[in-house]
Amino acid sequence: MTIINAADYDNYELLQMLEKMPQPEIQISHVNGQRYIACGWKNNKRLILQGTVGNNLGAFAEGPQIVVFGNGQEGVANTMNDGQIIVHGRVGDIAGYGMRGGKLFIKENAGYRLGIHMKAYQEKKPVIVVGGSAGAFAGEYMAGGTIIILGMNSNQALIGSYCGTGMYGGAIYLRGEYPSRNLAPNLKKEVLGADGLAEIKDYLAEYVSFFGDTMENITSAPFTRLSVEKKRPFAHLYTGFVS
Amino acid sequence: MAHNIMMPAFKVQRDEERCIRCGVCVRQCANNVHNLDEDGWMWVQDDKCVACHRCAVLCPTRALNIIEYPLDFRGNQHWTPASIREIYAQAQSGGVLLSGMGNPRTYKNYFDHLLINASQVTNPSIDPLREPMEMTTYLGNKNHHSCGEKPQLKLDIPLMFSAMSFGSVSINVHKSLAVAAKSLGTFWNTGEGGLHPDLLDFGRGAIVQVASGRFGVHPDYLDNSAAVEIKIGQGAKPGIGGHLPGEKVSQDVSLARMIPAWSDAISPAPHHDIYSIEDLAQLIETLKVATRFEKPIAVKVAAVHNITAIASGVVRAGADILVIDGFRGGTGAAPMRIRDNVGIPVEMALAQVDSRLRDEGIRSQTSLVISGGIRNSADVMKAIALGADAVYIATAALIALGCHMCQMCFTGLCNWGIATTRPDLTKRLNPHLGSERAINLLAAWKHEMMEMMGGMGINAIESLRGNRLMLRGIGLSKEELGLLGVKGVGE
């Protein structure tokens, strides 16, 4: 494995160097807010980042396998097409905005607007698993994919206000108690038994393998699945009109 | 449900002596206006007619005519028929009024108050038929002092096809415009609905959009493009998001956008990763990094009240091309109140932004492209003289393909195969003929522009750019002349 010290380069030098490096696995130490790492990458390179990564980590990317030993800032996996990002810490706002594929695992909390406007089509199914809690507007405008919020390592409420507002596809899984105030009214809420977790069992197992904890502990609390009954929540808002 | 008290908007007239009961009108009308009984009896449902003229144009014996419904309300200058009918529609449905295409109201049109100059005696005119006329235009950041040369778009004419998404328009519109753009040496724009797999070969000729819904945005889409355009807003509906009605989200559209079929495609009002100019700068930078600094990044905003300050911010954020869409800009669907009452004329926005960017010394960092209701080559000339580097057209291009401006794009029932995703309607637009008509239109405009430039004694489009001395205002107040930066006629 190749090891780089991020402090030796400016932001763009670092990006250009990473882009050119042929090595399949690169470790970068002393990451301190560098933006756009792996942005737009179309490869399966493995990056191990130590420190706090800057905004838009893996934005528009397709394929990179990224592990962050530290925290992420805004826009982690923004419009990501494929790949995997594992953050051993917390992330800021709009993680997974418009995500179209791949997986994002976050050990601790996520900020506002987690996974908004995620999409899915056939084999492309984006997944976000948050070990802690998520801020307001999680899953807003969600069109597809899966968001799982576990609340394992957090003292905050599991979700903020307006979770799933304007959602028209996909599913949000909430573990344990969650505040129902300001939850979008059109959401279908199903409390799941042990057999209801089949759809997300593999994702939970991956979470356990990355961050420790046990499956027994995770499944000790009931899960609620949020989804939409109507695909067209706004169908009756408008009136066509021949003037 | 309350009793519907709305009378039809249009009346279909059939000349019984000419009608041969062939049934073309019945088959052509997706709105089911025309009906032919088994016993040969033809009858119409006026209230379903949108005046798209498809039946009248295709009627082999010219037996059909469509007129505004002749039943008049009692004359009233304040409560016009339209304002009364709008209330009927809302009282019936409780819905937000939806409409298509651009603002049709009677606001002042500044293009129609500007006149173009010509040479007489003191400097000779140039005949474009005999002498070369340079129309090439480069779009991008021209400030090469720092960080070397920036990527540019090379246009053989200062005209491009503006953003219309696959979904809002049919695949055959995209095919027509993609082929036409390639042949004309210019670019087309995918709009925000992604690039259809059939058109991958035309990606390099496309400006690809990244809008708030991020539909169809992936690394190959960004790479396989001429430039990337961040859509912040559009002139037909500044400040609000997009809404592709579920009726138009067919399997194909669903695939391109990665959303469930027949669901509404919602573009949020803002990009949720852009809440400030600094955030915009970050998305611009992200896209530059993602495309390895090989492509110009455009930012499209609607012309609104504070457009000069916004434009300054957008340029400082790093936009290589700034697109300003005026309030006449078209749309596949917009709330009528917003379309008709929000935004400002692009002529005024353009003149003010061009001046502001010059005053601030940052005009060379960006190319200015305007759009929104450009109807002909004279509008293009005036826009360039006011300071535009190039002009986007969309409505004019659709009219060239057969659009009859019925403004019902949001229904998905476009009888001309334009604003629809239904395969049986889509195939009515033949992309070979469509591209030919779009090429004809722009070739004709290009020649008209060369004639006008020649008349001024100008032989390069660059010499017209921002050359407001070539314009005079007519019927404008001193204040308006000042804002446009042009002299009045006679001055």
Side-chain angles (χ1 to χ4, degrees), chain B residues 148-166:
Chain B
E149 207 147 309
K150 311 290 196 308
Q152 306 283 323
L153 289 184
K154 178 175 181 273
L155 279 59
D156 292 344
I157 44 169
L159 276 161
M160 300 184 288
F161 296 119
S162 190
M164 290 179 281
S165 67
F166 169 54

Side-chain angles (χ1 to χ4, degrees), chain B residues 57-100:
Chain B
V57 172
L58 266 71
C59 175
T61 59
R62 289 276 179 269
L64 288 169
N65 186 31
I66 293 156
I67 59 168
E68 283 198 18
Y69 205 79
L71 180 66
D72 282 335
F73 289 98
R74 173 156 183 186
N76 190 322
Q77 292 295 320
H78 183 65
W79 288 100
T80 58
S83 58
I84 295 170
R85 292 172 57 80
E86 286 158 13
I87 288 179
Y88 289 158
Q90 290 194 297
Q92 180 76 16
S93 68
V96 171
L97 294 175
L98 203 61
S99 197

